[in-house]
Amino acid sequence: MSTRIGKDVLDSLTQSMYEDSRIIYREYIQNAADQIDKALQTGLIKSPREGMINIVIDTVERNVMIEDNATGVKGDEIEAVLKNIAKSTKDRTKDKGFRGIGRLGGLAYCDQLVFETSFAGEPYGYQLIWDAKLHRDVINNRSTHEDASEVIDAITRIEHFDEDISKHYFKVKLFNVTDDALLDVNDISNYLSMVAPVPFRRNQFKYTSKISRFLEDNDLTMDEYLIYVNSNIIEKLYTNYVYNGEEGKKKRCDEILDVDFFKIKKEDELLGWGWFSISSFQGVLDEVNKARGIRLRKNNIQIGLENCLEKFHKEKRGNYYFFGEIHALHPELIPNSRRDYFIDNDIEREFNRIIRSFFATKLYKAYHLASDIRSQFKPIKKMIEIKYQIDEKEVKGYQSKIEREELIEKYDVAKEKAIKSQNKILRNAASLNEDNGCEKKILTAVVKKQIDAMVDEYGDKKEEVLVIKNKLPEIIRTINGENYKDHVVIDEIDIIRSSGKTPLITDDLNNLNGSQKAILQKVFSTINKIFPKDHAEMVIKKITEDIKI
C-alpha cells in the first residue's frame, strides 16, 4: 500500500505555519531576491540596482501584489515549479528560500491567490490561480478525506495570455485579503524595514559608512535589494539617537556614539559577524525605537522576531540596550522551516555557544559599566547638594548652631563617599587600554552625560560643578594605566569652615530682642523635631516672614 499525504498537511503549511501573518511578505520577498540574484548571474539585469521588488497594498479593494522584475518562470515549468510542494531545486546552503513551501503562505489570508509570470523570449505570460476560499472549505470539510495533491489539483488552474517577449517578471497577487494586519501599510513598511534585505538609511544612521568599511576590509558582503511599498522605498530604521515616549510624542534621551564589531569564529572558520551600538545606555530602549535589539540575520533577512536572541543574554532585557545585528554566514547555519532559528547541527551549537559567551561578557559588561558609573555619581551629587545647603545657610542663617554642626558632619561623610566614587571612576578609566576602546567610549559618554545633568540642575557658574566639568572628563580621556590616585578632582571641593559665630536666621529679625530670638530658636528646634524637613522649613520660613512685617 502506497503512502498517502492527507489534506490537513496543507493547513499546517499555510494557516498554522507562522505565528505572524506578516511573515508571508518575507517569504515572497526572499523568493524574489533569489530570482534577482539569478537574473544578475545570467546577465538578464546588469546591476543590483536594476533589480526591484515592488509591493502594492490596496486597502480599499483589499488586494496585495508583490512583484519582481527578475527571471520569471518558463511556461513549460509552471506546474513543476509552482504547484509542486517541498520539491524545490534550490541550494539550501546558498539560496534564501529553498524548501518550496513558503509560496503557500498567502492561501491562508485571501480568497484568491494568483502567481503571474513571464519569461524573457516567450510570447505568453501565465497565471497559476489558487482558489483559496475553496481550499479552506475543503480543508474544513471533515466528511471528506482527500489527499493533499488532490486538493491542490482541485483548487488550481493555469491560464495564459499574450505578452511582450522582452518582459520578465513574477507577481504574487492576493485578492480580498482576509487579515487586516496585511493591509496596514505603515505597519508592513516598518516590519519589512527590519525583516527584509534592505539597505541602511544613510541620512538617518551615520555609521552606515563605517559598517561598509568593515565589510570591505574583511572581504564580506551584505545582500541588499530595492524594495518599495506603495512607491515608498524601504530602508532599515536605525537612527543616530535613542528616543523614549510614544510615536508622535517621542523625545531624544540618548545618542548613538559609535558602533563596534565582532566576529564569530570556530578556530579559523568564520561562522558570522556582527555589530552593535555604543551609547551611554540610559536604560532599555523603548518600543518607539523600531530598530531596537540585536537582530539575527541570514542573507540579510531577519531570522525570527526582535526577541530571537533574548535567550542568549544573561538578562533578557540585555538584548534591548542596543541596536545591532548578527549576520550568520556559515552554509550549515540553515534556517528552519518557520525561519525562527536554525536547524540543529554541530555548527549551530557552536554558533550558539560563542554568541552566549560574547553576550555574557562584552555586551553585559557594557551596559552594566554604564549603570555602575551612573551610580558613582549619586554620592558626588549628594555632596554638592549638601554643600549648596551650607552655602545658602551661611548667607541666610541656620536655625541653630546644632544644625550647622550636623550639616558639616553630613558634608564630611558625603565628601568621603564622593571621593571613593570619584576614585572608582578613575580606577575604571586607568584599567582600560587600547583593547577596551568600547568600554572607554561608554565610560566617557556616561561621565559627560552625568556632568551635563549636574550643570542643568545646579548651573555651570557654581565653582564645584566647574571643577568637575573641567577636570574629570579630561582625566578620563588621558589616563591610561596610571595610578588613579595621582588625580584629584573632588578633593579640591570644600566648604568654608569658619570658627566664628554661627549665622542664625533670627539674626535679621531686628524687631526682636535677644531673649525673644532665643525663644524663637527653641520654637524652631521643636518644629524641626515634629515636622518632616520640608514642612518644617516651610513653617519656619513663614514665621520669619511674618515677624519681619
Side-chain angles (χ1 to χ4, degrees), residues 357-408:
S357 174
F358 181 78
F359 284 1
T361 53
K362 191 78 169 182
L363 298 192
Y364 179 82
K365 288 179 180 178
Y367 65 84
H368 274 272
L369 171 63
S371 176
D372 185 50
I373 298 302
R374 278 193 294 275
S375 296
Q376 301 312 318
F377 266 87
K378 290 178 182 177
I380 296 173
K381 290 178 182 177
K382 184 66 176 176
M383 180 203 74
I384 291 175
E385 181 184 317
I386 297 172
K387 183 180 186 304
Y388 282 7
Q389 289 179 31
I390 293 173
D391 289 346
E392 185 178 36
K393 288 183 179 292
E394 287 291 329
V395 175
K396 295 182 178 180
Y398 295 88
Q399 295 168 21
S400 67
K401 184 177 180 181
I402 294 175
E403 184 192 22
R404 186 190 200 194
E405 291 171 351
E406 288 177 345
L407 266 179
I408 290 174

Side-chain angles (χ1 to χ4, degrees), residues 206-222:
K206 62 185 177 183
Y207 300 104
T208 299
S209 56
K210 186 170 184 178
I211 294 171
S212 297
R213 284 197 303 273
F214 173 84
L215 292 170
E216 186 177 343
D217 292 344
N218 290 277
D219 295 321
L220 298 170
T221 58
M222 185 188 296

Side-chain angles (χ1 to χ4, degrees), residues 270-479:
L270 186 63
L271 308 185
W273 68 278
W275 67 269
F276 62 93
S277 62
I278 298 172
S279 65
S280 59
F281 300 114
Q282 296 295 300
V284 169
L285 276 60
D286 279 0
E287 290 184 11
V288 73
N289 301 282
K290 302 295 185 185
R292 72 174 193 155
I294 306 289
R295 312 284 183 119
L296 179 61
R297 309 182 81 84
K298 181 72 184 283
N299 300 120
N300 201 22
I301 299 174
Q302 184 171 293
I303 300 294
L305 302 176
E306 69 173 37
N307 62 355
C308 179
L309 296 175
E310 278 184 3
K311 59 188 176 185
F312 297 110
H313 290 269
K314 290 181 74 171
E315 308 164 312
K316 284 185 178 181
R317 65 189 177 100
N319 198 52
Y320 304 110
Y321 280 90
F322 305 89
F323 295 141
E325 298 175 341
I326 291 180
H327 290 262
L329 300 179
H330 197 282
E332 290 303 313
L333 290 170
I334 302 168
N336 60 28
S337 58
R338 291 168 61 91
R339 289 191 68 91
D340 57 7
Y341 205 65
F342 302 123
I343 63 173
D344 179 44
N345 58 40
D346 290 343
I347 293 296
E348 183 259 359
R349 287 189 287 274
E350 181 65 9
F351 183 80
N352 295 348
R353 185 193 66 77
I354 296 169
I355 290 175
R356 183 174 281 107
S357 174
F358 181 78
F359 284 1
T361 53
K362 191 78 169 182
L363 298 192
Y364 179 82
K365 288 179 180 178
Y367 65 84
H368 274 272
L369 171 63
S371 176
D372 185 50
I373 298 302
R374 278 193 294 275
S375 296
Q376 301 312 318
F377 266 87
K378 290 178 182 177
I380 296 173
K381 290 178 182 177
K382 184 66 176 176
M383 180 203 74
I384 291 175
E385 181 184 317
I386 297 172
K387 183 180 186 304
Y388 282 7
Q389 289 179 31
I390 293 173
D391 289 346
E392 185 178 36
K393 288 183 179 292
E394 287 291 329
V395 175
K396 295 182 178 180
Y398 295 88
Q399 295 168 21
S400 67
K401 184 177 180 181
I402 294 175
E403 184 192 22
R404 186 190 200 194
E405 291 171 351
E406 288 177 345
L407 266 179
I408 290 174
E409 184 179 352
K410 281 177 66 177
Y411 175 80
D412 289 338
V413 171
K415 183 173 182 179
E416 184 178 347
K417 290 180 179 178
I419 290 172
K420 287 181 179 178
S421 291
Q422 164 206 266
N423 289 343
K424 187 168 183 180
I425 294 170
L426 295 178
R427 184 164 64 248
N428 267 318
S431 69
L432 302 176
N433 53 40
E434 292 182 1
D435 295 331
N436 304 108
C438 168
E439 288 85 352
K440 199 151 191 173
K441 287 175 185 175
I442 293 168
L443 191 151
T444 304
V446 176
V447 167
K448 181 180 182 303
K449 198 163 188 71
Q450 291 300 301
I451 292 175
D452 287 346
M454 288 170 59
V455 169
D456 290 342
E457 185 173 354
Y458 301 118
D460 59 3
K461 299 283 191 274
K462 298 290 186 179
E463 175 191 354
E464 46 280 344
V465 174
L466 280 174
V467 169
I468 296 171
K469 181 181 177 182
N470 293 336
K471 294 195 70 173
L472 194 57
E474 184 60 31
I475 291 171
I476 288 169
R477 278 194 295 271
T478 58
I479 191 171

